[in-house]
Amino acid sequence: MISTLPQIGDRITDKSASPDESTVREWIGADGFEYWAKLRTWIDESYPEVFAPDWLYGGKNRGWSLRYKKTKAFCHLVPEFRRVSAVVVMGRAEREKFEERRYVWHPQLIKLYDDAKTYIDGKWLTIAVASADDLHDVTKLLTMKRPQKSRG
């Protein structure tokens, strides 16, 4: 018999409605939700009034993600079973900046970057956020991608 229980990393794929906050909390669990909330708060505070995040359904394999986009894609937050991931697309300028500062990144992020296929729009990095280090890496990548809005 094939197990129908969700596995770690499975995505929310019911396309009938975008997930609400309680669905996300249940799906990713308390630890994952803490990082989910911290990332959302960090984006809101670092880029006030820049983004209006919207839910995007990527099909039965990719499921739902919360997209942050102004004119260009900033990132997607992906609620996965018992964890949260951030998808950051690294265009040419971001890849050059990443390479210039290659020595400052954690080894696991460098490996993820090196292993990511380069598409026409860049490298798509999917980073599981399961520790303070992971959270720090994501916020540093996002700051490199788009400098924080200065507070007047």
Side-chain angles (χ1 to χ4, degrees), residues 35-99:
Y35 291 116
W36 172 270
K38 283 180 179 179
L39 266 171
R40 295 203 58 196
T41 299
W42 180 85
I43 292 170
D44 290 346
E45 290 175 354
S46 301
Y47 306 93
E49 299 176 28
V50 172
F51 301 108
D54 62 319
W55 284 102
L56 194 65
Y57 185 72
K60 64 179 182 175
N61 292 331
R62 296 188 191 275
W64 287 99
S65 64
L66 189 60
R67 175 177 62 177
Y68 285 81
K69 178 181 179 177
K70 185 73 175 173
T71 51
K72 295 190 311 186
F74 184 58
C75 71
H76 288 244
L77 301 185
V78 184
E80 297 177 331
F81 189 68
R82 297 298 171 250
R83 73 175 182 206
V84 60
S85 287
V87 178
V88 180
V89 178
M90 307 282 287
R92 179 174 309 192
E94 293 88 14
R95 293 194 313 271
E96 287 172 5
K97 290 177 192 172
F98 185 94
E99 291 291 349

Side-chain angles (χ1 to χ4, degrees), residues 92-121:
R92 179 174 309 192
E94 293 88 14
R95 293 194 313 271
E96 287 172 5
K97 290 177 192 172
F98 185 94
E99 291 291 349
E100 285 170 11
R101 301 190 315 203
R102 192 175 177 89
Y103 61 90
V104 304
W105 304 107
H106 288 104
Q108 63 270 31
L109 183 63
I110 294 169
K111 179 171 179 12
L112 187 68
Y113 175 86
D114 288 344
D115 291 349
K117 185 174 183 214
T118 304
Y119 295 97
I120 195 159
D121 55 351

